[in-house]
Amino acid sequence: MLSMTPRSDQQYQDRMPIAGIGVVSGYGWGREALWTGLHSGKPAGAWYPGYGPGRDEQAWVALVPEGAAAEADTPGPTRFVRAMRYAVREAVDDATGRGWRPGAAVGLIHASVLDDVRDTRQFNTTDQGRRRSRDFLRLLPSTPNSVLMQEFGFHGPAMNISVACSSVNAALITARMWLDQGMADDVVCVSTDLSATPEMLQSFVDLGVAVSDADPLEACRPFQEGSRGFTFGEAAVAFVLSRAVERPYCAVLGGALNNDAYHVASVDPGYEQIMTCNRQALDRSRVDASEVTYYNAHGPGTAQCDAAESAVLEQVFGNRPHLLSVKPLVGHCMSAAAGVEIIATVQAYERGTVPASPVVAKAHPRLLDGPAPFEGGITVKSSLGLGGNNSAVVLGPVG
């Protein structure tokens, strides 16, 4: 259990510092593995047999790697639970090393969409829908949260949040509201998505948005010619958000959420709500569009998202910010996607490099080509979730 000491949160009252981060991705277990992988310019993942059409072909997937010592040292009945637990442990250890002093009410928000799909499949097939009550309980979305609250002795609110690919952005915005309303002293946000099963992959290929038969840099080219969509990825990400930390990475300045109310899979071609969402995020962060240095796009490489976010970059930001997407490297990690992409930006504030994907074809003129020196300033992280769930989070220096 974490010890609690008297604290004063007055220093960062107008912003929400990110005190610690943790991640498991297709590159491996830990934030260093992600950082090294992104800077390599080589996509995470491999060709896996049995993932292609009819289960008799191979497909490219950025699965969380098996056999890591870090996983062996992390308790949990399934890989989903172990990945979630590892990410939170790494984030808490990171924050503690940066001088985080937890308050009496530490809250937990778990952003996920499909929960533990492999364990659910096993329950419905191998186990014939029956388990001991103790084993059945792990299928409930509240159980992993409860286990984490017990491990760390957190006593704030705990909840799940699900807004498709916008889930992490929604979690961060919700955490900000909890802190501002005094519902929690600190908040841990975690997102776990290990849903890249053959069934899921084929379903998204059939929707016409995912690609499984090509190397990511050949298939997923956000804001470049020849892009066909995204390749699948998996990840678990965690953030400790606290105003009682001595050496934060950067801060969440604000954000916004809205819905197109148009279609379950397609973007409203008028882009009105996407534009509104980005403008509201700036207004609530008290940031002018001219101050934004980076636009960290949803960037899945689909034609409709490229067109929508290119329009936002032009009409809201005047084509001034640098543009980037890391999905060609990490894959599309579904509910955890925005979290992996935010962690890349969070580390840039400290390490001085933006880990962008390499450009491999004719591209948008503002698109970064591989790792570039970080210029500081404000970053807007956009996510366009299925079901018209638009979101934008504004990140910036803590001072």
Side-chain angles (χ1 to χ4, degrees):
M1 180 181 297
L2 295 170
S3 62
M4 293 174 288
T5 57
R7 48 188 256 167
S8 171
D9 297 347
Q10 296 304 309
Q11 185 177 3
Y12 304 121
Q13 280 299 302
D14 62 338
R15 49 196 65 202
M16 184 174 70
I18 296 176
I21 55 175
V23 61
V24 177
S25 71
Y27 286 119
W29 293 65
R31 58 183 179 274
E32 291 300 326
L34 174 66
W35 186 253
T36 300
L38 290 173
H39 277 74
S40 74
K42 299 178 181 179
W47 291 100
Y48 284 88
Y51 269 75
R55 310 292 183 269
D56 57 356
E57 299 177 28
Q58 63 179 4
W60 185 281
V61 193
L63 300 178
V64 168
E66 296 186 22
E71 180 179 7
D73 292 338
T74 306
T78 67
R79 305 199 73 229
F80 180 94
V81 172
R82 291 191 293 273
M84 175 188 180
R85 204 164 188 174
Y86 178 89
V88 172
R89 284 182 168 189
E90 186 179 43
V92 168
D93 287 347
D94 186 29
T96 302
R98 291 170 171 274
W100 174 46
R101 294 167 292 115
V106 180
L108 176 71
I109 300 175
H110 187 200
S112 68
V113 173
L114 293 168
D115 297 312
D116 196 336
V117 296
R118 289 179 175 86
D119 197 32
T120 300
R121 178 176 61 187
Q122 183 178 5
F123 171 73
N124 288 318
T125 56
T126 306
D127 297 344
Q128 306 300 318
R130 293 195 62 82
R131 283 181 179 171
R132 295 182 306 164
S133 59
R134 181 175 178 177
D135 293 333
F136 169 75
L137 285 172
R138 74 187 192 209
L139 294 172
L140 303 180
S142 59
T143 297
N145 296 357
S146 177
V147 170
L148 282 173
M149 299 296 276
Q150 293 172 52
E151 176 177 352
F152 293 103
F154 294 158
H155 296 288
M159 67 177 285
N160 293 78
I161 196 166
S162 181
V163 201
C165 311
S166 287
S167 293
V168 170
N169 279 2
L172 294 175
I173 292 168
T174 302
R176 173 74 187 249
M177 291 189 291
W178 282 8
L179 293 178
D180 289 347
Q181 294 299 316
M183 294 180 63
D185 298 307
D186 318 277
V187 183
V188 174
C189 288
V190 58
S191 180
T192 318
D193 201 302
L194 273 65
S195 65
T197 62
E199 300 91 342
M200 286 293 299
L201 176 57
Q202 189 58 49
S203 294
F204 277 90
V205 169
D206 292 343
L207 280 173
V209 293
V211 180
S212 64
D213 61 355
D215 180 279
L217 294 181
E218 295 178 10
C220 182
R221 301 173 173 180
F223 310 102
Q224 303 171 61
E225 288 185 353
S227 187
R228 296 167 51 201
F230 59 80
T231 52
F232 244 79
E234 294 184 327
V237 295
F239 303 86
V240 174
L241 307 161
S242 176
R243 291 173 175 143
V245 59
E246 296 171 4
R247 298 181 302 280
Y249 284 95
C250 61
V252 178
L253 307 183
L257 303 162
N258 69 10
N259 193 283
D260 282 350
Y262 173 75
H263 193 272
V264 296
S266 298
V267 171
D268 184 344
Y271 308 146
E272 179 181 354
Q273 296 306 318
I274 297 175
M275 301 287 184
T276 297
C277 184
N278 279 269
R279 291 187 175 110
Q280 287 178 343
L282 294 173
D283 289 344
R284 291 167 185 169
S285 305
R286 298 195 292 277
V287 167
D288 188 82
S290 63
E291 300 176 73
V292 176
T293 310
Y294 296 96
Y295 190 72
N296 187 335
H298 181 55
T302 61
Q304 65 171 350
C305 286
D306 277 4
E309 292 190 293
S310 294
V312 169
L313 194 68
E314 178 181 359
Q315 296 181 38
V316 177
F317 299 99
N319 273 331
R320 286 181 295 268
H322 297 294
L323 176 64
L324 72 145
S325 168
V326 298
K327 279 189 174 69
L329 298 177
V330 297
H332 192 348
C333 302
M334 298 298 156
S335 60
V340 175
E341 294 148 18
I342 288 172
I343 284 180
T345 289
V346 166
Q347 291 182 296
Y349 276 91
E350 180 166 84
R351 302 193 182 207
T353 306
V354 182
S357 302
V359 171
V360 295
K362 185 178 179 181
H364 190 288
R366 299 302 294 163
L367 186 66
L368 289 175
D369 184 4
F374 182 62
E375 297 176 10
I378 305 297
T379 299
V380 171
K381 172 58 202 157
S382 167
S383 284
L384 308 180
L386 284 175
N389 289 298
N390 307 311
S391 66
V393 165
V394 182
L395 305 168
V398 292

Short mmCIF file of all heavy atoms in Angstrom, two decimals, residues 322-381:
data_model
loop_
_atom_site.label_atom_id
_atom_site.label_comp_id
_atom_site.label_asym_id
_atom_site.label_seq_id
_atom_site.Cartn_x
_atom_site.Cartn_y
_atom_site.Cartn_z
N HIS A 322 2.95 20.72 -36.90
CA HIS A 322 3.48 19.49 -37.47
C HIS A 322 2.43 18.40 -37.29
O HIS A 322 1.72 18.35 -36.29
CB HIS A 322 4.77 19.06 -36.76
CG HIS A 322 5.88 20.04 -36.90
ND1 HIS A 322 6.50 20.32 -38.11
CD2 HIS A 322 6.53 20.81 -35.98
CE1 HIS A 322 7.46 21.19 -37.93
NE2 HIS A 322 7.49 21.52 -36.65
N LEU A 323 2.38 17.49 -38.24
CA LEU A 323 1.39 16.41 -38.26
C LEU A 323 2.11 15.07 -38.06
O LEU A 323 3.18 14.84 -38.63
CB LEU A 323 0.67 16.42 -39.61
CG LEU A 323 -0.37 15.34 -39.92
CD1 LEU A 323 -1.55 15.42 -38.98
CD2 LEU A 323 -0.82 15.48 -41.38
N LEU A 324 1.53 14.20 -37.21
CA LEU A 324 2.14 12.88 -37.04
C LEU A 324 1.11 11.84 -36.67
O LEU A 324 0.05 12.15 -36.13
CB LEU A 324 3.24 12.90 -35.97
CG LEU A 324 2.82 13.04 -34.51
CD1 LEU A 324 3.74 12.25 -33.60
CD2 LEU A 324 2.81 14.50 -34.08
N SER A 325 1.44 10.59 -37.00
CA SER A 325 0.69 9.42 -36.56
C SER A 325 1.68 8.28 -36.38
O SER A 325 2.53 8.06 -37.25
CB SER A 325 -0.38 9.02 -37.57
OG SER A 325 -0.91 7.73 -37.27
N VAL A 326 1.58 7.55 -35.27
CA VAL A 326 2.49 6.41 -35.05
C VAL A 326 1.80 5.07 -35.31
O VAL A 326 2.38 4.02 -35.06
CB VAL A 326 3.10 6.44 -33.63
CG1 VAL A 326 3.94 7.68 -33.43
CG2 VAL A 326 2.03 6.31 -32.55
N LYS A 327 0.59 5.09 -35.83
CA LYS A 327 -0.11 3.82 -36.09
C LYS A 327 0.61 2.92 -37.09
O LYS A 327 0.52 1.69 -36.97
CB LYS A 327 -1.54 4.09 -36.54
CG LYS A 327 -2.49 4.38 -35.38
CD LYS A 327 -3.94 4.41 -35.83
CE LYS A 327 -4.88 4.55 -34.63
NZ LYS A 327 -4.81 5.84 -33.97
N PRO A 328 1.36 3.45 -38.08
CA PRO A 328 2.09 2.53 -38.94
C PRO A 328 3.12 1.70 -38.17
O PRO A 328 3.49 0.61 -38.62
CB PRO A 328 2.80 3.47 -39.94
CG PRO A 328 1.95 4.69 -39.97
CD PRO A 328 1.45 4.85 -38.56
N LEU A 329 3.57 2.18 -37.03
CA LEU A 329 4.58 1.49 -36.25
C LEU A 329 3.98 0.60 -35.16
O LEU A 329 4.38 -0.56 -35.02
CB LEU A 329 5.54 2.51 -35.61
CG LEU A 329 6.33 3.37 -36.61
CD1 LEU A 329 7.19 4.38 -35.87
CD2 LEU A 329 7.19 2.50 -37.52
N VAL A 330 3.05 1.11 -34.39
CA VAL A 330 2.49 0.33 -33.27
C VAL A 330 1.23 -0.43 -33.64
O VAL A 330 0.77 -1.28 -32.88
CB VAL A 330 2.20 1.23 -32.04
CG1 VAL A 330 3.48 1.84 -31.51
CG2 VAL A 330 1.18 2.32 -32.37
N GLY A 331 0.67 -0.15 -34.81
CA GLY A 331 -0.62 -0.71 -35.17
C GLY A 331 -1.75 0.07 -34.52
O GLY A 331 -1.52 0.98 -33.72
N HIS A 332 -2.97 -0.29 -34.88
CA HIS A 332 -4.14 0.34 -34.26
C HIS A 332 -4.52 -0.49 -33.05
O HIS A 332 -4.98 -1.62 -33.17
CB HIS A 332 -5.29 0.40 -35.25
CG HIS A 332 -6.43 1.27 -34.79
ND1 HIS A 332 -6.54 1.77 -33.50
CD2 HIS A 332 -7.52 1.76 -35.46
CE1 HIS A 332 -7.63 2.50 -33.39
NE2 HIS A 332 -8.25 2.51 -34.57
N CYS A 333 -4.29 0.06 -31.87
CA CYS A 333 -4.50 -0.66 -30.61
C CYS A 333 -5.89 -0.43 -30.03
O CYS A 333 -6.10 -0.55 -28.81
CB CYS A 333 -3.42 -0.26 -29.60
SG CYS A 333 -1.75 -0.57 -30.18
N MET A 334 -6.84 -0.08 -30.87
CA MET A 334 -8.25 0.05 -30.52
C MET A 334 -8.46 0.95 -29.30
O MET A 334 -8.08 2.10 -29.32
CB MET A 334 -8.88 -1.34 -30.33
CG MET A 334 -8.83 -2.16 -31.60
SD MET A 334 -9.78 -1.36 -32.94
CE MET A 334 -9.02 -2.07 -34.38
N SER A 335 -9.02 0.43 -28.20
CA SER A 335 -9.33 1.32 -27.08
C SER A 335 -8.08 1.92 -26.46
O SER A 335 -8.13 2.99 -25.85
CB SER A 335 -10.12 0.56 -26.00
OG SER A 335 -9.39 -0.53 -25.49
N ALA A 336 -6.92 1.26 -26.62
CA ALA A 336 -5.67 1.78 -26.06
C ALA A 336 -4.89 2.64 -27.04
O ALA A 336 -3.80 3.13 -26.71
CB ALA A 336 -4.78 0.63 -25.58
N ALA A 337 -5.43 2.84 -28.25
CA ALA A 337 -4.68 3.52 -29.31
C ALA A 337 -4.22 4.91 -28.89
O ALA A 337 -3.04 5.25 -29.00
CB ALA A 337 -5.53 3.59 -30.58
N ALA A 338 -5.14 5.73 -28.44
CA ALA A 338 -4.77 7.10 -28.07
C ALA A 338 -3.75 7.11 -26.94
O ALA A 338 -2.88 7.99 -26.88
CB ALA A 338 -6.00 7.90 -27.67
N GLY A 339 -3.82 6.12 -26.05
CA GLY A 339 -2.89 6.05 -24.93
C GLY A 339 -1.47 5.84 -25.38
O GLY A 339 -0.53 6.49 -24.90
N VAL A 340 -1.25 4.89 -26.31
CA VAL A 340 0.10 4.65 -26.84
C VAL A 340 0.61 5.92 -27.51
O VAL A 340 1.78 6.31 -27.34
CB VAL A 340 0.08 3.48 -27.84
CG1 VAL A 340 1.44 3.30 -28.48
CG2 VAL A 340 -0.35 2.20 -27.16
N GLU A 341 -0.25 6.59 -28.26
CA GLU A 341 0.15 7.78 -29.01
C GLU A 341 0.42 8.96 -28.08
O GLU A 341 1.32 9.77 -28.34
CB GLU A 341 -0.94 8.08 -30.04
CG GLU A 341 -1.03 6.96 -31.10
CD GLU A 341 -2.43 6.74 -31.67
OE1 GLU A 341 -3.28 7.63 -31.51
OE2 GLU A 341 -2.64 5.67 -32.27
N ILE A 342 -0.32 9.05 -26.99
CA ILE A 342 -0.06 10.11 -26.01
C ILE A 342 1.26 9.85 -25.29
O ILE A 342 2.04 10.78 -25.04
CB ILE A 342 -1.23 10.23 -25.02
CG1 ILE A 342 -2.44 10.85 -25.71
CG2 ILE A 342 -0.83 11.09 -23.81
CD1 ILE A 342 -3.71 10.84 -24.88
N ILE A 343 1.54 8.59 -24.95
CA ILE A 343 2.80 8.28 -24.27
C ILE A 343 4.00 8.67 -25.15
O ILE A 343 5.01 9.16 -24.65
CB ILE A 343 2.85 6.80 -23.86
CG1 ILE A 343 1.96 6.60 -22.62
CG2 ILE A 343 4.27 6.35 -23.57
CD1 ILE A 343 1.91 5.19 -22.09
N ALA A 344 3.87 8.49 -26.47
CA ALA A 344 4.95 8.92 -27.37
C ALA A 344 5.17 10.42 -27.23
O ALA A 344 6.32 10.90 -27.17
CB ALA A 344 4.60 8.57 -28.81
N THR A 345 4.09 11.20 -27.14
CA THR A 345 4.20 12.65 -26.98
C THR A 345 4.71 13.02 -25.59
O THR A 345 5.55 13.91 -25.43
CB THR A 345 2.84 13.32 -27.24
OG1 THR A 345 2.54 13.24 -28.64
CG2 THR A 345 2.84 14.78 -26.82
N VAL A 346 4.20 12.34 -24.56
CA VAL A 346 4.62 12.62 -23.19
C VAL A 346 6.13 12.48 -23.06
O VAL A 346 6.82 13.32 -22.47
CB VAL A 346 3.89 11.68 -22.20
CG1 VAL A 346 4.54 11.72 -20.83
CG2 VAL A 346 2.41 12.06 -22.10
N GLN A 347 6.68 11.41 -23.62
CA GLN A 347 8.12 11.21 -23.54
C GLN A 347 8.88 12.26 -24.35
O GLN A 347 10.00 12.62 -24.00
CB GLN A 347 8.47 9.80 -24.01
CG GLN A 347 7.99 8.71 -23.05
CD GLN A 347 8.39 7.33 -23.50
OE1 GLN A 347 7.94 6.86 -24.54
NE2 GLN A 347 9.20 6.65 -22.74
N ALA A 348 8.27 12.75 -25.42
CA ALA A 348 8.93 13.78 -26.22
C ALA A 348 9.19 15.04 -25.41
O ALA A 348 10.22 15.71 -25.60
CB ALA A 348 8.08 14.11 -27.45
N TYR A 349 8.28 15.38 -24.50
CA TYR A 349 8.46 16.58 -23.69
C TYR A 349 9.71 16.47 -22.81
O TYR A 349 10.33 17.48 -22.49
CB TYR A 349 7.23 16.83 -22.82
CG TYR A 349 6.13 17.57 -23.55
CD1 TYR A 349 5.14 16.87 -24.24
CD2 TYR A 349 6.09 18.95 -23.56
CE1 TYR A 349 4.15 17.54 -24.92
CE2 TYR A 349 5.09 19.64 -24.24
CZ TYR A 349 4.12 18.93 -24.92
OH TYR A 349 3.14 19.60 -25.61
N GLU A 350 10.07 15.27 -22.44
CA GLU A 350 11.24 15.09 -21.58
C GLU A 350 12.50 14.75 -22.36
O GLU A 350 13.60 15.19 -22.02
CB GLU A 350 10.96 13.98 -20.56
CG GLU A 350 12.13 13.72 -19.61
CD GLU A 350 11.72 12.89 -18.42
OE1 GLU A 350 11.70 11.65 -18.56
OE2 GLU A 350 11.41 13.47 -17.37
N ARG A 351 12.36 13.99 -23.44
CA ARG A 351 13.53 13.47 -24.14
C ARG A 351 13.95 14.31 -25.34
O ARG A 351 15.03 14.09 -25.90
CB ARG A 351 13.28 12.03 -24.57
CG ARG A 351 12.96 11.11 -23.40
CD ARG A 351 13.03 9.67 -23.81
NE ARG A 351 12.67 8.78 -22.72
CZ ARG A 351 13.12 7.54 -22.60
NH1 ARG A 351 13.97 7.06 -23.49
NH2 ARG A 351 12.76 6.78 -21.59
N GLY A 352 13.09 15.22 -25.76
CA GLY A 352 13.48 16.16 -26.80
C GLY A 352 13.42 15.65 -28.22
O GLY A 352 13.97 16.27 -29.13
N THR A 353 12.72 14.53 -28.44
CA THR A 353 12.55 13.97 -29.78
C THR A 353 11.10 13.54 -29.98
O THR A 353 10.51 12.94 -29.08
CB THR A 353 13.46 12.75 -30.00
OG1 THR A 353 14.80 13.10 -29.70
CG2 THR A 353 13.39 12.27 -31.44
N VAL A 354 10.56 13.84 -31.15
CA VAL A 354 9.22 13.38 -31.51
C VAL A 354 9.36 12.10 -32.32
O VAL A 354 9.95 12.11 -33.40
CB VAL A 354 8.46 14.43 -32.35
CG1 VAL A 354 7.05 13.94 -32.67
CG2 VAL A 354 8.40 15.75 -31.63
N PRO A 355 8.85 10.96 -31.82
CA PRO A 355 9.04 9.69 -32.52
C PRO A 355 7.98 9.45 -33.59
O PRO A 355 7.09 8.61 -33.45
CB PRO A 355 8.94 8.66 -31.40
CG PRO A 355 8.00 9.29 -30.42
CD PRO A 355 8.22 10.78 -30.50
N ALA A 356 8.06 10.18 -34.69
CA ALA A 356 7.08 10.04 -35.77
C ALA A 356 7.42 8.85 -36.67
O ALA A 356 8.56 8.38 -36.70
CB ALA A 356 7.04 11.32 -36.59
N SER A 357 6.44 8.38 -37.41
CA SER A 357 6.64 7.29 -38.36
C SER A 357 7.36 7.80 -39.61
O SER A 357 7.22 8.97 -39.97
CB SER A 357 5.29 6.70 -38.78
OG SER A 357 4.56 6.23 -37.66
N PRO A 358 8.10 6.93 -40.29
CA PRO A 358 8.78 7.36 -41.52
C PRO A 358 7.78 7.60 -42.65
O PRO A 358 6.76 6.90 -42.75
CB PRO A 358 9.71 6.20 -41.85
CG PRO A 358 9.08 5.01 -41.20
CD PRO A 358 8.42 5.53 -39.95
N VAL A 359 8.07 8.56 -43.48
CA VAL A 359 7.27 8.82 -44.68
C VAL A 359 7.79 7.94 -45.80
O VAL A 359 9.00 7.89 -46.06
CB VAL A 359 7.35 10.31 -45.07
CG1 VAL A 359 6.70 10.54 -46.43
CG2 VAL A 359 6.66 11.17 -44.01
N VAL A 360 6.89 7.23 -46.48
CA VAL A 360 7.30 6.28 -47.51
C VAL A 360 6.67 6.57 -48.87
O VAL A 360 6.90 5.85 -49.83
CB VAL A 360 6.98 4.82 -47.08
CG1 VAL A 360 7.79 4.44 -45.86
CG2 VAL A 360 5.49 4.64 -46.81
N ALA A 361 5.84 7.61 -48.96
CA ALA A 361 5.18 7.95 -50.22
C ALA A 361 4.87 9.45 -50.22
O ALA A 361 5.13 10.14 -49.23
CB ALA A 361 3.89 7.13 -50.39
N LYS A 362 4.36 9.96 -51.31
CA LYS A 362 3.98 11.36 -51.38
C LYS A 362 3.03 11.68 -50.24
O LYS A 362 2.04 10.98 -50.04
CB LYS A 362 3.32 11.67 -52.71
CG LYS A 362 3.01 13.15 -52.91
CD LYS A 362 2.40 13.43 -54.26
CE LYS A 362 2.08 14.91 -54.42
NZ LYS A 362 1.46 15.19 -55.75
N ALA A 363 3.34 12.76 -49.48
CA ALA A 363 2.66 12.97 -48.21
C ALA A 363 2.17 14.40 -48.04
O ALA A 363 2.55 15.32 -48.78
CB ALA A 363 3.61 12.62 -47.06
N HIS A 364 1.31 14.58 -47.03
CA HIS A 364 0.88 15.91 -46.61
C HIS A 364 2.12 16.73 -46.26
O HIS A 364 3.05 16.23 -45.61
CB HIS A 364 -0.03 15.78 -45.38
CG HIS A 364 -0.73 17.04 -45.00
ND1 HIS A 364 -0.09 18.13 -44.42
CD2 HIS A 364 -2.05 17.39 -45.09
CE1 HIS A 364 -0.96 19.08 -44.18
NE2 HIS A 364 -2.15 18.66 -44.58
N PRO A 365 2.18 17.98 -46.66
CA PRO A 365 3.40 18.77 -46.45
C PRO A 365 3.79 18.99 -45.00
O PRO A 365 4.95 19.28 -44.71
CB PRO A 365 3.09 20.11 -47.15
CG PRO A 365 1.60 20.15 -47.27
CD PRO A 365 1.16 18.74 -47.43
N ARG A 366 2.84 18.84 -44.06
CA ARG A 366 3.16 19.05 -42.65
C ARG A 366 3.49 17.75 -41.91
O ARG A 366 3.77 17.77 -40.71
CB ARG A 366 1.99 19.75 -41.93
CG ARG A 366 1.66 21.13 -42.49
CD ARG A 366 2.87 22.05 -42.43
NE ARG A 366 3.26 22.35 -41.06
CZ ARG A 366 4.45 22.84 -40.70
NH1 ARG A 366 5.38 23.05 -41.62
NH2 ARG A 366 4.72 23.10 -39.44
N LEU A 367 3.47 16.62 -42.62
CA LEU A 367 3.69 15.33 -41.98
C LEU A 367 5.18 15.15 -41.65
O LEU A 367 6.05 15.29 -42.52
CB LEU A 367 3.23 14.20 -42.90
CG LEU A 367 3.26 12.78 -42.32
CD1 LEU A 367 2.27 12.63 -41.18
CD2 LEU A 367 2.97 11.75 -43.42
N LEU A 368 5.47 14.84 -40.40
CA LEU A 368 6.84 14.58 -39.98
C LEU A 368 7.34 13.28 -40.58
O LEU A 368 6.60 12.30 -40.69
CB LEU A 368 6.93 14.50 -38.45
CG LEU A 368 6.76 15.81 -37.68
CD1 LEU A 368 6.76 15.53 -36.18
CD2 LEU A 368 7.84 16.82 -38.04
N ASP A 369 8.62 13.25 -40.94
CA ASP A 369 9.23 12.08 -41.54
C ASP A 369 10.22 11.47 -40.56
O ASP A 369 11.39 11.84 -40.50
CB ASP A 369 9.95 12.48 -42.83
CG ASP A 369 10.54 11.29 -43.57
OD1 ASP A 369 10.32 10.14 -43.13
OD2 ASP A 369 11.23 11.50 -44.59
N GLY A 370 9.76 10.54 -39.74
CA GLY A 370 10.60 9.89 -38.76
C GLY A 370 10.90 10.77 -37.56
O GLY A 370 10.38 11.89 -37.45
N PRO A 371 11.72 10.29 -36.62
CA PRO A 371 12.03 11.07 -35.42
C PRO A 371 12.60 12.45 -35.76
O PRO A 371 13.42 12.59 -36.67
CB PRO A 371 13.08 10.20 -34.71
CG PRO A 371 12.80 8.81 -35.18
CD PRO A 371 12.36 8.96 -36.61
N ALA A 372 12.11 13.45 -35.02
CA ALA A 372 12.51 14.83 -35.28
C ALA A 372 12.73 15.54 -33.95
O ALA A 372 12.13 15.18 -32.94
CB ALA A 372 11.44 15.55 -36.09
N PRO A 373 13.59 16.57 -33.92
CA PRO A 373 13.78 17.33 -32.69
C PRO A 373 12.46 17.92 -32.21
O PRO A 373 11.67 18.45 -33.00
CB PRO A 373 14.76 18.43 -33.10
CG PRO A 373 15.47 17.88 -34.30
CD PRO A 373 14.45 17.05 -35.02
N PHE A 374 12.21 17.81 -30.92
CA PHE A 374 10.97 18.32 -30.33
C PHE A 374 11.09 19.83 -30.12
O PHE A 374 12.06 20.30 -29.52
CB PHE A 374 10.70 17.62 -29.00
CG PHE A 374 9.43 18.04 -28.33
CD1 PHE A 374 8.20 17.82 -28.94
CD2 PHE A 374 9.44 18.64 -27.08
CE1 PHE A 374 7.02 18.18 -28.33
CE2 PHE A 374 8.26 19.00 -26.45
CZ PHE A 374 7.05 18.78 -27.08
N GLU A 375 10.11 20.56 -30.61
CA GLU A 375 10.14 22.02 -30.57
C GLU A 375 9.42 22.59 -29.37
O GLU A 375 9.36 23.82 -29.20
CB GLU A 375 9.55 22.58 -31.86
CG GLU A 375 10.35 22.19 -33.10
CD GLU A 375 9.70 22.69 -34.39
OE1 GLU A 375 8.74 23.50 -34.30
OE2 GLU A 375 10.12 22.24 -35.48
N GLY A 376 8.84 21.72 -28.52
CA GLY A 376 8.10 22.21 -27.36
C GLY A 376 6.73 22.72 -27.73
O GLY A 376 6.20 22.46 -28.82
N GLY A 377 6.12 23.45 -26.81
CA GLY A 377 4.81 24.03 -27.08
C GLY A 377 3.66 23.08 -26.80
O GLY A 377 3.73 22.19 -25.96
N ILE A 378 2.58 23.25 -27.56
CA ILE A 378 1.31 22.57 -27.33
C ILE A 378 1.11 21.46 -28.34
O ILE A 378 1.41 21.62 -29.53
CB ILE A 378 0.13 23.56 -27.43
CG1 ILE A 378 0.34 24.74 -26.47
CG2 ILE A 378 -1.19 22.86 -27.16
CD1 ILE A 378 0.36 24.39 -25.01
N THR A 379 0.58 20.33 -27.86
CA THR A 379 0.21 19.20 -28.72
C THR A 379 -1.28 18.93 -28.57
O THR A 379 -1.79 18.88 -27.46
CB THR A 379 0.98 17.93 -28.33
OG1 THR A 379 2.38 18.14 -28.49
CG2 THR A 379 0.56 16.75 -29.22
N VAL A 380 -1.96 18.76 -29.68
CA VAL A 380 -3.36 18.32 -29.67
C VAL A 380 -3.39 16.86 -30.12
O VAL A 380 -2.85 16.52 -31.18
CB VAL A 380 -4.24 19.18 -30.59
CG1 VAL A 380 -5.64 18.56 -30.73
CG2 VAL A 380 -4.36 20.60 -30.04
N LYS A 381 -3.98 16.02 -29.28
CA LYS A 381 -4.15 14.60 -29.62
C LYS A 381 -5.60 14.34 -30.01
O LYS A 381 -6.51 14.48 -29.19
CB LYS A 381 -3.77 13.72 -28.42
CG LYS A 381 -4.09 12.24 -28.60
CD LYS A 381 -3.42 11.64 -29.82
CE LYS A 381 -4.15 10.38 -30.28
NZ LYS A 381 -3.89 10.11 -31.69
#
